[in-house]
Amino acid sequence: MIPLGYASMLKSSASKRFLSLGLIGAVLAPAAAAQAQFKHIPGSFPNPKKWTEGLECADVDNDGDLDVFFAEGNGYSSAGTKQQNVLVINKLELGPVAFTDESVARLGVHTSNARSADTGDIQGDGWVDAMFANGFNTDLPFLYVNRGAVQPGFFDFDGVARGFTTAYSSACSNFGDLDNDGDLDVIISDSGSSYLGGSGDRPHLYFNDGNGFFTEDAVAMNAPVKKAHMDVQYVDIDNDWDLDFLGLNRANNTGGNHYLMLNDGLGNFTNISNMLPGTSSNVYEAEVGDLDGDNDMDMFFVSLSGFSEGSINNNLNPSGTLSFSTGGTLSNSDDNEVILLDSDNDGDYDVIIGSLGSSEKLFNNNGSGVFSTVANDFTAVGDSTLDITVADVNNDGTYDVISAQGESGSTQWDAKLYANTGSADTVAPSIIRQEEVVSGSTSPWVVRSEMKDQVMDDGVHYVRAEVDYVVNTSPQTAAVTMPGLTYSPAVLNITAGTTVTWTNTGTGTTKHTVTSSTPGYEFDSGLFSPGETYSYTFVRPGTYDYVCTPHVAFGMVGQVIVTAAAGSVNEPALDMGGSGLFRFEMSSSNSGDLVYERRFTDWAGNVTVSPAVSVPVVGSGGSSGSFTVYGTGASPANYMSIAGLGSPQIGNAIQVQVSGITQSAVLLVISLNQTNTPLFGGVMLADFFSQLLPLATIPSAGGTGTWNGAIPNDPLLVGLDVFFQAGTTDGSQPGGFGMSDGLQLNIGL
């Protein structure tokens, strides 16, 4: 499955990047001591001065730079003039600030009172699609489907055909995997007959069928009516690995001003809106992220109290109980938009505010969720900002700010670019939580990870994730020794999924390390003494350099070259659309040890790799298992019958029953081999001379004997055939030996 925005993460070539960085030096000069960190670059965008309610960046043509959608259309509380939906293409190959308006060519002529533009890969084909949410019940939701490789970054206007046939009064929509099935669903806000007042309405949940076709499910949404619904956010508020729904409303509503609804993991929602602390009725947006470093999702509101910004802190306890508290407030102006950005690369989210009545603002986080205003943060521009976003539009490793204007001061309604003159992003994504594949589970295997990086804006963070994996049907191992100040072999060639073990075979007290010098791979044994070992598993094909830290000056360096194994897979993960959650899906027909490794790469190219995991699993080739009697009546000696009872799957108890016994003792053979060898006038159906287990005695019980056993809970056994046969000395039978039918067990899951 292709992740949200995966294709947009493809980086530009080295030559293109070098050209861009050279031009940036001339256009975006380094900040002087008192200069704003975010410097206004006039005339950056070609679009004329239009009332613009929303914007979002995505790489629509997969050329390695970020393009921009603008949602334009006049109207505050009622519909004004409709405007063309806008797509501006980034021409980074021509310079660091080179955008062209190609809206009509790429989208077609489509006008609306657009309130937001949202992007996601709805078909899982690696190409970004887009939705425009439209206000005032004047138009249907507009869905644009990328033509992909056929015509990159050109779109078909395809909403009606794909399920969007009703007009709403919408301020926002957002894509996210709400039922954990590996595709992007969508919630669209609806304020009913009156955009900012009236009786209100309910948000609309549409499930994706996996191919980009949508069906509304009002029962699963189960939302109450609220007025003036402005913003759709997804957040795993209770750390249970699914996306809950947070909807922000510019109104006073009964049962809580805003929506907070818990997801059961399958896309069915339960209303807990009354748990949120009270806010003002001026809220247009909140942003979600871990603001205080305790690994749960907090919220930062515009107009939390009156017109003052501030946070609501999540006090989730280890038992999973939710509670919230209100933090301090800052500023006091009518503002519309908030985004989270680690503007100083210190590992926590700072806050940028898009201000309706003054310049944009930056609040610095002290790491504990306590914020302070930063002076000289933005070039002072008097405009009415309705939306902002952050994006590294010139691929220099810093996140710039784009603002969109409207409502008042029409001479300033041009979109604005604020170039970030601060330090480049050198902080790799952090892995906050991870699920692991359960031993013995069946293909496909699905796990999720939560990551945190520099940006969080309506679920957009510009990080892509992928998984490398292989299923080993037998253990794959390799060895390196350290007899002195060398690794032997110095260059080791292995296949993906191999575990390499280094052994210090030296004498005396000389200690060594195995320390990676490959970016993103931080394996490090630490010092280990003669006789001690260190192991690491390699999954991703490539070349891995490593050194002995104390002895690198003596030339003690090594290299592991990994080539793809049979069945090696690299699969992009799905960005689920909120809280930095990614969904990884792996599948194979093989049973054995699933060896997998997850990799996270941000827009600046910083990489984090989680260590490989190896776990025994069952491939899709596994069966439900069976008992089959064979060889019935094969000879006169075949006078006993045999049957298998129980569920023939791993981990289950089974019973083998032999009937027709006339002697006092019977021997049962359990074999891995089937045979048809004559024996004492009978037929040996299971190989008596190649037993899996020793001969087992079945005591006589009125002519019937039973043997009770169990199939080990080992996925490696799935699909294995095991053969049983009973026999006993019996002078009345030909050759003096009586035998049963054969019994074949095929072990299943």
Side-chain angles (χ1 to χ4, degrees):
M1 184 59 63
I2 306 296
L4 173 64
Y6 168 72
S8 70
M9 297 304 302
L10 300 175
K11 303 304 290 179
S12 55
S13 68
S15 60
K16 176 178 168 182
R17 185 176 176 88
F18 177 80
L19 171 64
S20 299
L21 290 172
L23 292 171
I24 288 165
V27 179
L28 308 183
Q35 183 177 322
Q37 178 177 346
F38 295 94
K39 179 184 176 182
H40 179 215
I41 309 298
S44 298
F45 296 102
N47 52 319
K49 294 176 171 59
K50 296 289 181 65
W51 182 314
T52 306
E53 288 275 352
L55 69 151
E56 184 152 309
C57 294
D59 185 359
V60 302
D61 46 9
N62 283 5
D63 66 347
D65 54 42
L66 291 168
D67 312 298
V68 192
F69 289 98
F70 291 96
E72 299 182 351
N74 293 12
Y76 172 63
S77 59
S78 60
T81 306
K82 295 182 181 183
Q83 302 291 348
Q84 168 70 35
N85 295 168
V86 174
L87 172 57
V88 173
I89 298 298
N90 191 344
K91 301 288 188 177
L92 186 56
E93 65 274 14
L94 302 179
V97 185
F99 296 94
T100 63
D101 186 343
E102 301 185 10
S103 306
V104 172
R106 291 176 180 266
L107 302 179
V109 178
H110 300 291
T111 63
S112 67
N113 296 111
R115 306 284 94 178
S116 74
D118 305 286
T119 60
D121 178 5
I122 65 169
Q123 301 177 98
D125 61 358
W127 297 88
V128 173
D129 310 300
M131 173 172 281
F132 282 71
N134 299 313
F136 315 117
N137 298 295
T138 59
D139 289 283
L140 308 177
F142 284 179
L143 179 66
Y144 294 95
V145 179
N146 201 322
R147 295 174 187 168
V150 175
Q151 197 175 15
F154 287 76
F155 295 81
D156 292 317
F157 187 67
D158 219 11
V160 172
R162 291 178 179 270
F164 300 103
T165 58
T166 305
Y168 305 125
S169 185
S170 300
C172 189
S173 63
N174 213 340
F175 291 107
D177 184 3
L178 302 177
D179 50 3
N180 190 32
D181 65 350
D183 56 48
L184 295 177
D185 313 300
V186 66
I187 292 177
I188 306 172
S189 73
D190 188 4
S191 293
S193 59
S194 177
Y195 189 66
L196 294 178
S199 58
D201 214 316
R202 296 176 171 88
H204 302 274
L205 166 61
Y206 285 81
F207 287 120
N208 190 341
D209 71 351
N211 297 307
F213 292 84
F214 294 83
T215 303
E216 184 177 6
D217 193 330
V219 174
M221 183 75 259
N222 191 32
V225 171
K226 292 185 185 291
K227 296 179 291 186
H229 184 187
M230 295 287 105
D231 188 34
V232 174
Q233 296 275 351
Y234 303 129
V235 52
D236 184 5
I237 201 71
D238 49 1
N239 281 4
D240 65 349
W241 294 110
D242 56 48
L243 293 178
D244 308 304
F245 166 57
L246 175 67
L248 292 314
N249 304 303
R250 189 190 175 277
N252 289 314
N253 286 299
T254 58
N257 283 358
H258 311 290
Y259 290 104
L260 182 60
M261 303 187 68
L262 293 183
N263 191 343
D264 69 352
L266 299 175
N268 302 297
F269 290 88
T270 301
N271 183 30
I272 61 164
S273 302
N274 58 3
M275 290 190 66
L276 284 177
T279 71
S280 81
S281 59
N282 302 309
V283 173
Y284 281 97
E285 208 219 10
E287 192 56 72
V288 292
D290 181 11
L291 302 177
D292 51 9
D294 62 353
N295 295 338
D296 57 39
M297 292 290 117
D298 311 299
M299 294 160 273
F300 197 96
F301 282 71
V302 294
S303 302
L304 175 68
S305 175
F307 287 129
S308 296
E309 276 75 61
S311 61
I312 289 181
N313 303 318
N314 186 350
N315 303 317
L316 180 69
N317 67 25
S319 68
T321 302
L322 277 170
S323 65
F324 302 93
S325 59
T326 302
T329 57
L330 305 93
S331 180
N332 188 25
S333 61
D334 189 2
D335 299 324
N336 278 36
E337 176 73 9
V338 54
I339 53 179
L340 304 181
L341 171 68
D342 183 5
S343 63
D344 49 7
N345 289 329
D346 65 351
D348 57 51
Y349 284 131
D350 307 306
V351 170
I352 294 178
I353 299 293
S355 181
L356 183 69
S358 63
S359 299
E360 327 305 354
K361 291 171 283 193
L362 173 64
F363 301 145
N364 181 261
N365 188 349
N366 73 350
S368 300
V370 177
F371 295 87
S372 58
T373 302
V374 178
N376 299 316
D377 45 5
F378 280 83
T379 301
V381 178
D383 56 13
S384 298
T385 297
L386 299 182
D387 197 15
I388 57 173
T389 194
V390 292
D392 181 5
V393 297
N394 47 32
N395 284 357
D396 67 348
T398 63
Y399 293 98
D400 312 302
V401 175
I402 305 172
S403 69
Q405 331 302 327
E407 190 172 326
S408 62
S410 59
T411 60
Q412 288 288 342
W413 282 0
D414 54 314
K416 296 178 177 64
L417 172 65
Y418 294 88
N420 187 349
T421 61
S423 58
D425 175 13
T426 58
V427 180
S430 299
I431 300 172
I432 307 303
R433 298 182 293 146
Q434 296 212 107
E435 288 184 308
E436 304 295 353
V437 173
V438 176
S439 177
S441 58
T442 309
S443 174
W445 308 284
V446 175
V447 291
R448 290 160 291 192
S449 297
E450 179 188 340
M451 83 70 229
K452 178 181 178 182
D453 197 52
Q454 303 296 95
V455 176
M456 188 61 73
D457 179 20
D458 296 338
V460 175
H461 44 67
Y462 304 114
V463 173
R464 66 177 171 90
E466 55 195 318
V467 61
D468 287 275
Y469 67 95
V470 65
V471 176
N472 292 329
T473 55
S474 60
Q476 302 297 309
T477 61
V480 177
T481 61
M482 290 170 280
L485 300 183
T486 60
Y487 296 108
S488 181
V491 177
L492 178 68
N493 290 278
I494 60 173
T495 58
T498 299
T499 299
V500 179
T501 298
W502 288 264
T503 303
N504 186 340
T505 55
T507 58
T509 60
T510 302
K511 298 181 179 180
H512 298 299
T513 73
V514 176
T515 305
S516 171
S517 53
T518 301
Y521 288 83
E522 309 302 331
F523 60 87
D524 187 354
S525 64
L527 291 168
F528 60 107
S529 301
E532 295 181 330
T533 63
Y534 169 73
S535 297
Y536 188 84
T537 302
F538 295 85
V539 189
R540 185 182 180 90
T543 299
Y544 300 85
D545 296 311
Y546 64 93
V547 302
C548 175
T549 302
H551 303 118
V552 64
F554 296 92
M556 193 169 181
V557 298
Q559 189 176 79
V560 177
I561 299 174
V562 182
T563 56
S568 288
V569 179
N570 173 269
E571 186 76 21
L574 176 78
D575 179 349
M576 294 181 67
S579 289
L581 292 184
F582 282 97
R583 181 184 190 273
F584 302 81
E585 182 170 327
M586 299 166 277
S587 62
S588 175
S589 60
N590 292 332
S591 299
D593 289 326
L594 170 66
V595 187
Y596 63 99
E597 168 189 285
R598 286 163 281 193
R599 180 183 179 96
F600 304 84
T601 307
D602 66 19
W603 188 264
N606 303 301
V607 179
T608 297
V609 179
S610 60
V613 174
S614 180
V615 60
V617 293
V618 179
S620 57
S623 69
S624 59
S626 61
F627 285 109
T628 304
V629 177
Y630 67 98
T632 305
S635 70
N638 202 29
Y639 82 106
M640 292 183 291
S641 61
I642 191 169
L645 305 175
S647 299
Q649 290 91 33
I650 58 172
N652 289 347
I654 59 170
Q655 186 180 88
V656 175
Q657 189 174 84
V658 182
S659 58
I661 298 173
T662 59
Q663 305 299 308
S664 60
V666 176
L667 298 177
L668 179 71
V669 67
I670 306 171
S671 171
L672 288 177
N673 298 310
Q674 180 182 8
T675 185
N676 288 286
T677 304
L679 181 70
F680 304 115
V683 177
M684 185 173 70
L685 299 171
D687 188 349
F688 277 55
F689 305 106
S690 179
Q691 293 110 18
L692 172 65
L693 296 176
L695 293 173
T697 300
I698 301 179
S700 176
T704 300
T706 59
W707 175 81
N708 294 301
I711 302 174
N713 189 20
D714 185 347
L716 293 176
L717 299 178
V718 173
L720 183 70
D721 288 316
V722 181
F723 302 92
F724 298 81
Q725 191 173 18
T728 184
T729 55
D730 186 348
S732 66
Q733 299 299 319
F737 201 85
M739 303 180 71
S740 74
D741 306 325
L743 177 67
Q744 179 178 348
L745 163 63
N746 178 259
I747 299 176
L749 174 66

